[in-house]
Amino acid sequence: MVDYTSNPDPKQIIKRCDELKNKRETWDALWEEVAHYVLPTRQGFVTKERRGNQHKDDVFDSTATTALENLASGLHGALTAPSGRWFHIRFREEQLNNDDAAVEWLEDSVNRIYKSLDESNFTQEVNELYLDMCCFGTAAMLIERTNKRVNEVDNDLNFRTVHLSEVAISEDVDGFVDTVYRKLKISARQAYQLFGPKADLGDSIKNALEKTPDKEFTFIHAVYPRPKVPEIVDLVPPKQRPWASCWVQVKDQKLVEEGGYYEFPWVVPRWSKLSGDVYGFSPALNARADIRTLNAAKRYEMRAWEKAIDPPTLASYNGVIGDLRLDPGGLTYVRDVNGIRPFVSGAQWQVSQIKAAELSNNIMQAFHNDKLRLHEGPNMTATEVRARMELMQQILGPVVGRIQSELLNPMISRVFMMMFRSQKFLPAPDIVMQAGSNLDVEYVSPLARAQRLEEVFAIERWFGQLAGMAQADP
């Protein structure tokens, strides 16, 4: 293993990035196919299209796209709803939870976090994250400052969901993503703005700045854990922080910048994951066969429609004088008018509609659209609502647990510590600073509450049984 503790070697960073990219070649082909039918705006894993190009017109059905958007919107509203509170923070030590000053400070800090999230681009970017995760099974978001060139304690939050084709990831021994290599292209002018005039960008970019400032160059942003870093108790220089951040200009193999983070700045949630795999599986990958079959059925159905609406014409041999004019108002000379008639193919395209309805239902179920609709009618009883919430909790419970551990927990921890270091909170009480308390995140989103409804329903059933026994023997 290469030692990155000091003076990182740009050649080694480029080599490891290529190795991680090569390990996901089979995934690239799979993601390209799924994106083609489900999320066309995310294509570009195998073939790089020019920006602004129109996507291929061989997709004839939008059921999967609609189902994906419904699932992503449902998760957004059920887990991170922008209209309400979806998490709360409390102290792990109960003595601090009983201290008024500590609780008031923590409540005020949580309010400031919500305000910062509302003022940032979190709502837009997390919805894109849900789309990627539900489509490809893996998504990646970078949490930084608005302008990382300025001192870290002076800027606002910035969330950026990155195209999955740009990143390659690696896990630690416990199965958590701790390494992300991002390969991207930026212009010479943007590189100058990003790294500043003092950075050594390489001879190729220096020449491009004078002649072709919009010429693009390939960069690698490598984020990985630094080994043997002591526990951080105060602000330290970037090169002494637990997570390394290295920018490499690929063409000149130049290390442009070496920095660091206090926390891992990436969140990489997976929908579900098999043992031994680094990348996850998604509802779109599970429904891939039905999606392809439905698209083929729609294509044949459209061909049948065309034949039914504008059928081919039968004419007797030498019965038409000149050309057969089928355009509106067209005049065709014939020897025998009874010798021309439309050809009825006898194709029963209604059969395709029946099969298409079955496939559409399968796709909707694969994306759990039927579980997310809790209120289909105005007259649902409390028992029906209870049954649907229990079903929703059973189906999406494991997924929600993974989302909380791989997305929400690290994201909230990262935002809290960034704002704490930036002095965005009120001064903490002495009891909090002396205790060195740990914090626990409690989720109060609609889906999190639905997961805890089973305890409420059990108590209700218990009281119902007591009522029955009381009637028999008061």
Side-chain angles (χ1 to χ4, degrees), residues 62-326:
S62 61
T63 301
T65 302
T66 303
L68 172 67
E69 293 177 352
N70 290 339
L71 177 57
S73 300
L75 289 176
H76 191 184
L79 294 176
T80 53
S83 58
R85 300 211 162 194
W86 48 274
F87 74 90
H88 181 68
I89 301 178
R90 56 180 285 120
F91 294 105
R92 187 170 299 176
E93 290 77 8
E94 287 300 327
Q95 62 175 358
L96 292 178
N97 291 322
N98 297 327
D99 186 88
D100 293 339
V103 172
E104 290 178 2
W105 175 82
L106 190 58
E107 287 290 340
D108 180 79
S109 301
V110 172
N111 293 336
R112 292 169 183 264
I113 292 177
Y114 275 111
K115 184 177 180 181
S116 297
L117 292 177
D118 292 339
E119 293 175 350
S120 69
N121 60 340
F122 171 74
T123 300
Q124 304 93 302
E125 294 298 318
V126 77
N127 186 70
E128 299 296 322
L129 186 81
Y130 287 132
L131 286 173
D132 284 355
M133 183 180 63
C134 297
C135 182
F136 307 117
T138 307
M141 175 189 283
L142 180 63
I143 306 173
E144 284 190 320
R145 297 291 176 182
T146 303
N147 181 3
K148 79 181 189 67
R149 306 312 317 158
V150 186
N151 193 322
E152 187 177 350
V153 300
D154 294 331
N155 300 296
D156 297 325
L157 299 174
N158 181 48
F159 301 85
R160 181 177 301 175
T161 298
V162 177
H163 196 291
L164 194 56
S165 64
E166 295 183 0
V167 299
I169 63 177
S170 178
E171 293 179 334
D172 61 11
V173 68
D174 296 320
F176 293 97
V177 176
D178 68 342
T179 300
V180 174
Y181 278 63
R182 182 189 180 194
K183 197 172 187 177
L184 69 159
K185 289 186 176 182
I186 57 179
S187 66
R189 182 176 63 90
Q190 292 171 337
Y192 182 82
Q193 295 173 342
L194 180 62
F195 299 105
K198 297 182 180 180
D200 186 3
L201 300 175
D203 295 335
S204 59
I205 293 184
K206 291 179 181 178
N207 297 331
L209 284 172
E210 300 176 357
K211 301 177 181 179
T212 55
D214 293 321
K215 182 179 179 180
E216 292 185 335
F217 293 85
T218 302
F219 282 80
I220 293 177
H221 182 207
V223 179
Y224 50 85
R226 284 192 174 105
K228 301 179 181 179
V229 174
E231 183 179 357
I232 302 299
V233 295
D234 202 352
L235 298 179
V236 297
K239 293 184 180 181
Q240 299 179 13
R241 296 171 188 173
W243 303 91
S245 172
C246 297
W247 283 87
V248 174
Q249 198 257 92
V250 176
K251 184 175 182 180
D252 296 333
Q253 297 183 349
K254 175 72 67 174
L255 179 64
V256 178
E257 179 186 80
E258 179 188 2
Y261 297 99
Y262 292 100
E263 304 88 25
F264 189 53
W266 288 93
V267 287
V268 187
R270 278 81 58 92
W271 179 270
S272 64
K273 191 173 73 70
L274 296 178
S275 178
D277 285 340
V278 177
Y279 300 94
F281 287 88
S282 68
L285 292 175
N286 296 333
R288 185 166 56 104
D290 286 336
I291 294 172
R292 294 178 60 183
T293 305
L294 179 59
N295 188 75
K298 286 292 185 179
R299 182 172 69 250
Y300 289 125
E301 186 177 321
M302 292 181 66
R303 292 176 60 184
W305 288 352
E306 184 180 5
K307 291 179 181 179
I309 296 173
D310 188 13
T313 302
L314 295 177
S316 59
Y317 185 69
N318 292 330
V320 178
I321 302 174
D323 297 328
L324 184 64
R325 301 287 300 277
L326 298 179

